[in-house]
Amino acid sequence: MDISSTFAARGYAATRIATEPEVAGESLTSVASDFAQTLQDREVEAVDALASQPDPLSLVQALAETQLAVETAVTMRDRVVEAYQEILRMPV
């Protein structure tokens, strides 16, 4: 038996599936669900602050957290699009 084929087989088995990428140990689906949950929570806080006696601090904090979450999502989307465009430019 060829030793290099054994190493190759182990290396192949150790690689993760390309359709299940991970971001810092988390799957993209959990990142997306965390993003959606953050937006929902902050929306509820903002509506509550506007409906009742407004607490300016909680309203500003909710808006800042929402802005940060949206900016992070947009940055991730831009990097994915850039990577896809780079792949398309590769010679076949």
Side-chain angles (χ1 to χ4, degrees):
M1 176 176 227
D2 187 14
I3 292 178
S4 62
S5 65
T6 305
F7 287 132
R10 274 195 229 147
Y12 180 74
T15 59
R16 60 186 160 87
I17 300 172
T19 58
E20 297 176 6
E22 294 184 5
V23 177
E26 296 181 21
S27 68
L28 289 177
T29 54
S30 68
V31 171
S33 65
D34 289 346
F35 170 74
Q37 188 63 41
T38 299
L39 289 182
Q40 288 174 352
D41 293 345
R42 299 310 161 245
E43 182 180 5
V44 168
E45 286 180 20
V47 169
D48 288 345
L50 293 174
S52 63
Q53 187 68 339
D55 178 21
L57 179 62
S58 66
L59 181 61
V60 169
Q61 185 177 12
L63 292 174
E65 289 178 7
T66 302
Q67 181 180 3
L68 180 62
V70 170
E71 287 175 358
T72 302
V74 168
T75 301
M76 289 177 61
R77 182 213 54 197
D78 290 345
R79 291 198 179 172
V80 168
V81 169
E82 287 174 12
Y84 179 73
Q85 289 173 345
E86 189 68 28
I87 290 170
L88 289 178
R89 283 185 281 235
M90 289 182 179
V92 179

